[in-house]
Structure formats: C-alpha cells, structure tokens
Amino acid sequence: MPDRPVVVGGGIAGLVVAWELARAGRRPILFEAEPEVGGVVRGHTVGGLRLDAGAESFAVTRPAVGALVDELGLADEVVRPEPTGAWVRWAGGTAPLPVGGLLGVPGRPWAADVRRVVGVTGAVRACADLVLPRRVGRQGSGLGGLVRGRMGGRVVQRLVEPVAGGVYAADPDALEVATVTPALARPDVRSLALTIRKSAGSRPRPGSAVASLRGGMHRLSETLATAVRAAGGEITVGTVVRSVTHAVGTWTVTTDSGRVLRTDTLVLAVPGAVARDLLGPAAPADLSTTVATPPTPVRLVTLVLDDPQLDRAPRGTGVLVARSVTDVAAKAITHATVKWDWLARAVGPGRHVVRLSYGRDDDSGGRPADDDALIEVARLDTGTLLGLDLDARSLRASAVVGWPAALPVPRPGHQAAVRDLRAQLRSIGVLLVGGPAAGTGLGAVVADARAQARTLLDPAAAAGRHDRPTNVTDARDEGPAGRTPAAGRMNT
Ligand SMILES: Cc1cc2nc3c(=O)[nH]c(=O)nc-3n(C[C@H](O)[C@H](O)[C@H](O)COP(=O)(O)OP(=O)(O)OC[C@H]3O[C@@H](n4cnc5c(N)ncnc54)[C@H](O)[C@@H]3O)c2cc1C
C-alpha cells in the first residue's frame, strides 16, 4: 500500500508540504476548499486582467521564497518593483517612506527622509538607539515596545505602525519580535539601526526588499500545484474537508464530496480556527490560544481606473496609512501599475490598477460592509491618498476580496507556544503548518512549511527535537461518506 499523507488546505503552506512529500515519493492527497489553489496567493480576474487576489510580492530579505522560485524553474520570471518607492501618511503629513528600514524601523535614523517623517526631535530621539545599552527596550511589549524604548514613540506611530498595520493589520505592541523581525530578536543585537543597516547593505533603494513574479505571485501557487501533480501527488480543488477523526492511530478524513480517506499523517494547512474545529476534542488545550485567536478580517479592493493624472505616479508605488489618519478608511494603497512594470505594459497607456486594503485590529474589518459602498469609499480614498480629484467615470472595473482569517497575529511568546503545540500534535500524527503557526508573510510561511515537511520525511530529525517521530504511512480511500462507521466524528 503506497504512503498517502492527507493535506488539508491548498494555500502556499499546504502546497509546499505537498510538493516536498510528492518529491519524496509519498504521493500526498491535498484538498482545497476553493475552486483554485493558492489561498491568499491565488489570482482573480478584474476587468479582463489576471491579477493577484491577495499577496503580490515576497520579501527577499528571507531566502525561502527565492529558493523555491529557483527550484521551480521560475528564476527568469522574478521581477523587482520600480524604484519609485512608497509614501507614508500620518495625521498632519505625507512623505516618502524612508528607504532601508525593516518593517518601518529606520536603519539610518538621522537620514533626511526619516527627519521628514518624524521631525528633528523624533530623529534625535531615534538616534539614541545607537548608544543606549543593549537591554533598553527589551522589556517592552512586542515590536512596538522594543522600538518605542530604543527609538521613541514617534518612530512607532509614524513608521512602524503604518508598515506593520499594512502587513499584519495589528498593533506593533502585539507582534512578537522573533517572528516578525527575527534579525532584531537576537540577544547580541545592540542597536536596531546598525543591525538593519548591516542586513540592508550600503545602498538600499526603494522597493529593494521585495520581489514578485511577472504575471503575479499566484503563478507560484499554480506552478507548485503542477509540480505536485507531476511528482505523483493528487490535488482536489473545490472540496471542503468536513471532519477528521482519530481512532487507534489512524485519521479518517471526510470531505463534503463524500470521500473518506484513512491516513496516519494528517497535514493541517488551514486557518487556526478551522484546525481547531476539525480536530475537535483531539485538539490540544492550548491550540485555541496559540493559533486560533481571531485574526483581524481584512478586505482588499482592486480598482481599474482610466485617468491620465495617474500616469505621473503622484505617490510612487503607494501609501501606507497611520492609525492617526482620519480622512481615509484605507490602511494602505498600492499603485500596482506604477509598482510593477509588467502590469503597466499589460494594461496599456492611460489605464491603472490600484489596490486598497481595509481592516485594522481596532475596527470591524473595513467599513462599510456592503461591497458597492466600499468600492465608492475606495475610489474616494484613492483620490485623497494620491492627492487627485478622481472622477467617478474613470472607474472601469472593481473587485472586493474578503480575507476573514488570513492575517493571524504572532503575539509575544508565539514561537515557544507553537513548538509545544506541534510536539503534542506530532504525537497524534498531525502536522500543523501555515500562517497561524509560522507568522504572516510568504518568507516565513514557506520556510516553515519546508522545514516541517522535512520532519515528516526525516523522523530522526524530528526525534532529535525530542518529539515523537511521525509515521508516514498509507491513506486509503474508503469510498463515499456514510458507508463506513468511521465517517462520523470519533476523536479519541
Ligand atoms: C490581503 C493579503 C495580502 C497579503 N500580501 C502579502 C504579500 O504581498 N507578501 C507576503 O509575503 N505576504 C502577504 N500576505 C500574507 C501571506 O499571503 C500569508 O501569510 C500566506 O499566504 C498564508 O498562507 P497559508 O497557506 O498559511 O494560508 P492560506 O493562504 O489562508 O491557505 C489556507 C487554505 O486552506 C483552505 N481551507 C480552509 N479550510 C479548508 C477545509 N476545511 N478544507 C479544505 N481547504 C480548506 C483555504 O481555502 C485556503 O486556500 C498577505 C495576506 C493577505 C491577507
């Protein structure tokens, strides 16, 4: 009987694990609820254009995605953003985002672009980071506490909060430093600025920290799915896993299409709350607090606009918005046709694509609830953020995509809690991967998924981590649900 691990969830994490397993000859079976693979890294069509529905770039500061792209033969498709840079807006001003920072933390606190945002007083305070003792800020809460202690509150409010708000939809104080900025968490770090400067290199340019693929990041998911299938894996889309039950060392997986499979290896690559609900009584007690606390729901609005005013890229690649701003509801806008040359060429002259994101941890996920009303808000926000008077007739097409659970917040203590949780899950044959465990961002999620997949393939390595090795054995198709008593929820 061939080994057939079952992977629930075909976002980037599930696909990466499936690919590692397939390449090792394990013939995984993956179920994805949506009609196409990718999760947040999937595409959609707006006004005849194939665009990213969620993630649109990856951080090059972490090597994992670049390595994966190379291995999949996509290296020639990697594109860098145009070096026009993004802007930041706070109550009282709008200015170019300082270059060479890390999640908004400046690498050169006295640079002119930093002074323009935080003022001379703010920059003087930020420079204290260069001389303060190592321990200062370490007792603070999360990334916000660390930066406030070393560089002052203005850097947090005007730089870290808008950038972290865009990436995590969370208060910087709630973000675990080791997860969101690992380089700053090392015990030998004395100055944040010096550490960032060292990793950014001597001549950082705007946008140099990220890259994407020509045609959009969703091509990564599509290419991975093709590679999984080519290596003997099975991917079934449009199929929801309804229940997983555990009895005498075997998991029984039941889908909404009536398929029932048995496996000794269950990979959960789904939002934390879905993992909790699927595992039911088999879920370790601390699963809820570790990976299933409610994330901030976000909504992404894409507008296709015809307006020649946009040709001059008034705010570069876009604007990140501080919480203190009250005249727009968006937390960020990306001027996608300025940022990505391939897209500008695809749409042709005079046509533009902008993406606005809504939803912070201190509101209800972007008001108003109605999509049409939100599109109108987005059009007005676009004008305000880009400093233009946009005519309603310039709107050619639009789309709203809701991501209710895609931005989990890695709170202080997260990594240690995940290690404990995973050890418990591994002892019952479950591997938990994806954003809820790894932290938000493709770099973190891909690196973690690959490392976790290898613990399945190399039980000795897993045992070396003092966890019971996972036994990858067979998944057997049991036929339609209901014909077997194992189809019911029988968690042990
Ligand atoms: C709007 C947005 C933009 C982002 N932009 C970027 C970016 O530009 N760069 C970056 O690095 N990061 C970005 N991120 C973060 C990054 O995309 C995520 O951290 C990462 O994609 C998470 O991948 P995942 O596989 O863990 O989860 P997901 O992508 O959420 O995948 C989980 C999958 O499980 C499926 N599923 C759920 N329940 C079931 C079930 N019962 N049965 C079967 N399938 C199920 C879902 O349909 C989904 O496809 C962004 C996030 C959001 C929300």
Side-chain angles (χ1 to χ4, degrees), residues 304-307 379 390-397:
V304 180
L305 299 156
D306 279 349
D307 190 323
R379 187 184 66 78
L390 273 184
D391 193 310
R393 286 168 298 184
S394 63
L395 184 62
R396 287 286 166 271

Side-chain angles (χ1 to χ4, degrees), residues 39-420:
V40 186
V41 195
R42 69 168 179 263
H44 66 165
T45 302
V46 188
L49 297 165
R50 183 77 176 151
L51 301 169
D52 286 317
E56 50 114 46
S57 62
F58 62 93
V60 293
T61 42
R62 295 186 181 192
V65 182
L68 179 66
V69 161
D70 284 356
E71 287 171 50
L72 290 167
L74 290 170
D76 291 344
E77 301 298 303
V78 172
V79 288
R80 292 303 189 108
E82 292 301 299
T84 40
W87 290 52
V88 61
R89 183 183 183 92
W90 66 97
T94 305
L97 187 68
V99 294
L102 179 63
L103 216 60
V105 187
R108 294 174 189 276
W110 190 247
D113 55 4
V114 176
R115 293 202 304 271
R116 191 167 164 191
V117 177
V118 300
V120 170
T121 321
V124 168
R125 172 64 185 89
C127 287
D129 163 69
L130 299 165
V131 293
L132 284 169
R134 198 189 307 260
R135 65 173 188 285
V136 173
R138 295 284 162 192
Q139 302 81 7
S141 165
L143 179 66
L146 174 65
V147 179
R148 195 176 298 106
R150 299 200 62 84
M151 294 188 160
R154 208 171 265 191
V155 168
V156 176
Q157 288 153 15
R158 295 190 185 174
L159 288 171
V160 180
E161 195 283 321
V163 180
V167 175
Y168 294 96
D171 183 335
D173 286 21
L175 298 171
E176 181 177 60
V177 180
T179 304
V180 300
T181 50
L184 303 184
R186 289 198 316 265
D188 59 329
V189 166
R190 188 174 67 80
S191 152
L192 306 183
L194 289 176
T195 307
I196 292 166
R197 213 182 293 176
K198 220 162 114 190
S199 58
S202 56
R203 287 176 179 272
R205 53 163 217 158
S208 59
V210 297
S212 186
L213 294 175
R214 190 174 292 108
M217 275 314 292
H218 57 274
R219 289 188 59 207
L220 178 62
S221 307
E222 292 161 5
T223 307
L224 261 175
T226 303
V228 170
R229 289 182 173 120
E234 176 192 323
I235 295 179
T236 304
V237 294
T239 301
V240 179
V241 168
R242 286 280 179 229
S243 74
V244 298
T245 57
H246 192 223
V248 283
T250 297
W251 286 97
T252 301
V253 177
T254 307
T255 73
D256 63 349
S257 62
R259 255 179 103 180
V260 181
L261 297 105
R262 289 174 181 277
T263 182
D264 281 358
T265 302
L266 178 64
V267 180
L268 294 180
V270 289
V274 177
R276 179 199 59 208
D277 294 348
L278 281 174
L279 290 172
D286 49 356
L287 187 140
S288 281
T289 47
T290 306
V291 294
T293 47
T296 305
V298 294
R299 286 191 290 167
L300 192 71
V301 182
T302 301
L303 305 179
V304 180
L305 299 156
D306 279 349
D307 190 323
Q309 299 179 90
L310 291 162
D311 291 348
R312 59 185 167 83
R315 294 288 182 264
T317 56
V319 185
L320 299 158
V321 183
R323 263 169 219 264
S324 55
V325 171
T326 52
D327 59 350
V328 293
K331 63 189 173 98
I333 182 171
T334 302
H335 195 158
T337 32
V338 170
K339 188 169 183 180
W340 306 113
D341 182 57
W342 68 264
L343 184 56
R345 288 170 192 269
V347 300
R351 179 154 290 189
H352 288 265
V353 176
V354 295
R355 293 167 24 121
L356 297 100
S357 52
Y358 291 85
R360 295 186 195 270
D361 54 355
D362 56 357
D363 69 21
S364 63
R367 295 181 185 91
D370 171 61
D371 280 0
D372 287 340
L374 185 61
I375 287 165
E376 178 56 10
V377 168
R379 187 184 66 78
L380 295 170
D381 282 355
T382 301
T384 307
L385 287 168
L386 302 187
L388 305 172
D389 186 12
L390 273 184
D391 193 310
R393 286 168 298 184
S394 63
L395 184 62
R396 287 286 166 271
S398 58
V400 178
V401 183
W403 299 106
L407 285 179
V409 178
R411 296 181 191 283
H414 180 75
Q415 289 194 353
V418 166
R419 262 195 306 277
D420 287 352

